[in-house]
Amino acid sequence: MASVEQKRVEEDEAGLRLDRWFKLHYPGLGFGHLQKLLRSGQVRVDGGRAKSDTRIEPGQMIRIPPIGVDARQPTGKPLTPNTMRDKHDGDVLAQMLIYEDDKVFVFNKPAGLAVQGGSGVNRNVDKMLEAWRSKKGEKPRLVHRLDRDTSGVLVVARTRGAAVSLTKAFRERDTKKHYWAIVKGVPVPHDGRISTYLVKEQTPDGDRMRIAKHGDEGADHALTHYRVIDQVAQNFSWLEMEPYTGRTHQLRVHAVHIGTPILGDPKYFEADTNFEFPGGVQKRLHLHARRIVIPHPDGGFVDQIAPLPQHMVQTFNLFGFDEAELND
């Protein structure tokens, strides 16, 4: 007969929501089942009752009642295009999942994974969602996109009705999106707005966005707010960027426009001849969709935070940036 277990929260799980912790350790445990266990007090943290959005801390003990599903065996490897290569689509989605209810999934998309198909794209989130069709045969639906090289929060609708509601929220800009970027240099002023027009142009390296003038053919208005959270002398800075519009590559082009290109951007980072990439910093895009706040189809809001990808954690450690000092 199954017995009650006590599991200790590890150091690298600091700040995780309790429901996210369960999704990582018990991917077979459904959302509704977990809610029942929490409401009845069968799941506890340090002996006390807890909710799905309770943030856990290292050293705390989580009470696990008999739940009828096996614990995941830890792999110790973060998701990257390489580490997910041999994994089943459903397993990758389970590892990416941050939040779920009966209308919405929220994923933490790894850098390098495309959201939709295209030339040279073998695996993408849209195709992977086939693995999570409902019992009625309904496939979860994308309602917005992230660039392939950008990591972070990706909202997916579980039903047709939820997709209509969420798509409307993005279209009418009822959604707040917060991105973190590490850039070369420090913008002046430290807190400001970037308002430009952007247009897509064809280049030998594929489509690219550039600053345009009002009235130029195909040009769309793009508006971003940014602020400096921390900096390394005048060499690098950690920015929070909030796009009010959702143009292709908007944040990447706007970062260049104010003279502080995002580190590792394969398309827009053009360093001067004297620039040397810091040792220990990976040449990958340092742009992460950190948080999203979006109206829930049933009322209220979905408010979710995605942990940083490993290459940005490495750079944060190298530069002495401490996300714990920032109140999300």
Side-chain angles (χ1 to χ4, degrees), residues 291-313:
R291 180 181 182 184
I292 198 161
V293 183
I294 186 170
H296 191 282
D298 292 339
F301 290 86
V302 175
D303 183 352
Q304 290 296 315
I305 291 170
L308 287 168
Q310 196 59 41
H311 71 279
M312 287 185 67
V313 170

Side-chain angles (χ1 to χ4, degrees), residues 173 193-200 209-225 243-248 250 254:
R173 296 171 191 161
R193 299 166 72 250
I194 309 166
S195 177
T196 71
Y197 285 82
L198 297 178
V199 68
K200 184 181 291 185
M209 303 301 290
R210 65 170 174 80
I211 303 294
K213 294 179 181 177
H214 180 41
D216 284 357
E217 184 179 353
D220 291 312
H221 183 238
L223 180 63
T224 301
H225 178 264
Y244 290 100
T245 51
R247 311 304 179 199
T248 301
Q250 175 177 322
H254 274 178

Side-chain angles (χ1 to χ4, degrees), residues 89-266:
D89 286 348
D91 292 337
V92 174
L93 291 172
Q95 197 171 341
M96 287 165 50
L97 191 67
I98 297 173
Y99 169 84
E100 69 169 318
D101 59 34
D102 59 354
K103 297 291 178 66
V104 178
F105 288 127
V106 183
F107 296 104
N108 182 12
K109 185 189 81 68
L113 176 63
V115 171
Q116 291 179 298
S119 59
V121 174
N122 295 321
R123 198 173 199 181
N124 63 77
V125 175
D126 189 36
K127 186 176 178 182
M128 292 164 65
L129 289 169
E130 290 283 354
W132 276 15
R133 282 188 177 272
S134 69
K135 292 177 181 177
K136 297 178 181 177
E138 195 169 19
K139 176 190 165 188
R141 294 168 168 83
L142 296 171
V143 292
H144 70 126
R145 295 180 60 182
L146 290 177
D147 292 345
R148 182 174 184 167
D149 293 321
T150 302
S151 58
V153 179
L154 184 70
V155 177
V156 172
R158 295 185 70 161
T159 67
R160 183 186 301 276
V164 171
S165 175
L166 294 167
T167 300
K168 180 182 177 185
F170 279 103
R171 185 175 63 246
E172 297 184 356
R173 296 171 191 161
D174 293 332
T175 303
K176 288 189 175 182
K177 296 175 282 185
H178 300 265
Y179 288 73
W180 283 359
I182 301 180
V183 302
K184 174 178 174 283
V186 181
V188 178
H190 279 201
D191 191 320
R193 299 166 72 250
I194 309 166
S195 177
T196 71
Y197 285 82
L198 297 178
V199 68
K200 184 181 291 185
E201 63 179 1
Q202 306 285 330
T203 75
D205 297 325
D207 289 344
R208 183 183 170 101
M209 303 301 290
R210 65 170 174 80
I211 303 294
K213 294 179 181 177
H214 180 41
D216 284 357
E217 184 179 353
D220 291 312
H221 183 238
L223 180 63
T224 301
H225 178 264
Y226 73 90
R227 68 183 178 103
V228 176
I229 300 173
D230 202 353
Q231 64 190 83
V232 181
Q234 295 299 311
N235 299 324
F236 304 99
S237 49
W238 164 19
L239 304 186
E240 180 177 60
M241 305 184 80
E242 186 177 345
Y244 290 100
T245 51
R247 311 304 179 199
T248 301
H249 298 172
Q250 175 177 322
L251 299 183
R252 297 161 67 178
V253 177
H254 274 178
V256 173
H257 182 64
I258 60 173
T260 54
I262 298 174
L263 279 185
D265 191 329

Side-chain angles (χ1 to χ4, degrees), residues 305-321:
I305 291 170
L308 287 168
Q310 196 59 41
H311 71 279
M312 287 185 67
V313 170
Q314 190 174 329
T315 303
F316 265 56
N317 291 338
L318 187 72
F319 288 173
F321 295 155

